[in-house]
Amino acid sequence: MAKVLVLYYSSYGHIETMAEAVAEGARGAGASVDIRRVAETAPQAVVEAAHFKTDSAHPVIEGPDALADYDAIVIGTGTRYGRMTSQMAAFLDTTGGLWARGALNGKVGGAFTSTASQHGGQETTLFSIITNLLHFGMTVVGLDYGFQGQMGLDEVKGGSPYGATTIADGDGSRQPSAVELDGARYQGRRIAEVAAKLFG
């Protein structure tokens, strides 16, 4: 049984919802899955003024060394100016020891994200996560075109071959759609399947 970590940062809950879908997909492939979030680094006054979601059911990751316990790690975070959030970047900046000893070499990784608009940096944010995964020596699994839901122009939807995505709208009012959640489940399942083949 592959061990999968879904690690996320979510300001308003969109990425948290996507993380749960990724985990559902991985569990559906027989994986053991933990969902963890990274710590909030914004000042409390900002958190309150911006009405961040602070009631997550998922615990904060114990620290960077916990990543080495998993066969696969799927990282999700919102987008800030076309790249990952500072909260996720701050956590990843603490993983130098893992990199130095090659603790994640050969493990499986993936990325998912959310933006306010269709062209708000979904793919550049995914690549900002994927860059970290590749430097860790991980094998990256995206949202391949076996998931046909990301195709077509019948509705506004996220999704990219580089990872599952959702679109939140500028005020955060749009929640992940059924198609976007299906994409997250699909990616989670594929990551778990690849990890099982490598480590099962």
Side-chain angles (χ1 to χ4, degrees):
M1 178 185 295
K3 288 184 63 179
V4 177
L5 171 65
V6 181
L7 180 65
Y8 75 91
Y9 172 76
S10 186
S11 292
Y12 298 103
H14 299 80
I15 288 295
E16 182 177 53
T17 299
M18 294 285 282
E20 290 165 352
V22 170
E24 183 183 342
R27 288 189 187 108
S32 168
V33 183
D34 291 329
I35 305 176
R36 297 288 184 269
R37 58 191 172 90
V38 300
E40 181 61 73
T41 60
Q44 187 60 32
V46 171
V47 169
E48 292 173 3
H51 306 290
F52 283 7
K53 183 180 186 298
T54 57
D55 61 346
S56 174
H58 308 119
V60 171
I61 187 79
E62 298 86 352
D65 287 342
L67 274 61
D69 295 335
Y70 296 91
D71 302 314
I73 301 165
V74 195
I75 295 177
T77 186
T79 296
R80 300 292 186 271
Y81 301 107
R83 56 183 169 77
M84 77 173 82
T85 59
S86 63
Q87 290 86 346
M88 183 59 73
F91 175 79
L92 292 174
D93 281 349
T94 69
T95 59
L98 292 174
W99 174 82
R101 66 179 188 269
L104 304 182
N105 286 346
K107 294 179 186 279
V108 181
F112 60 101
T113 194
S114 171
T115 55
S117 65
Q118 288 177 277
H119 308 290
Q122 295 204 345
E123 293 183 349
T124 54
T125 300
L126 291 170
F127 273 113
S128 73
I129 300 168
I130 289 168
T131 299
N132 283 266
L133 301 178
L134 291 172
H135 275 268
F136 285 140
M138 300 177 80
T139 299
V140 175
V141 176
L143 182 64
D144 64 60
Y145 286 118
F147 179 68
Q148 286 289 294
Q150 64 185 303
M151 306 298 286
L153 301 173
D154 52 318
E155 63 179 278
V156 172
K157 55 188 165 185
S160 157
Y162 316 112
T165 69
T166 186
I167 302 162
D169 205 355
D171 61 1
S173 60
R174 183 183 182 275
Q175 297 302 308
S177 69
V179 170
E180 292 164 342
L181 292 173
D182 283 347
R185 290 184 195 98
Y186 180 95
Q187 186 180 9
R189 186 176 78 247
R190 291 285 294 122
I191 288 168
E193 289 169 347
V194 171
K197 288 178 181 177
L198 292 175
F199 300 102

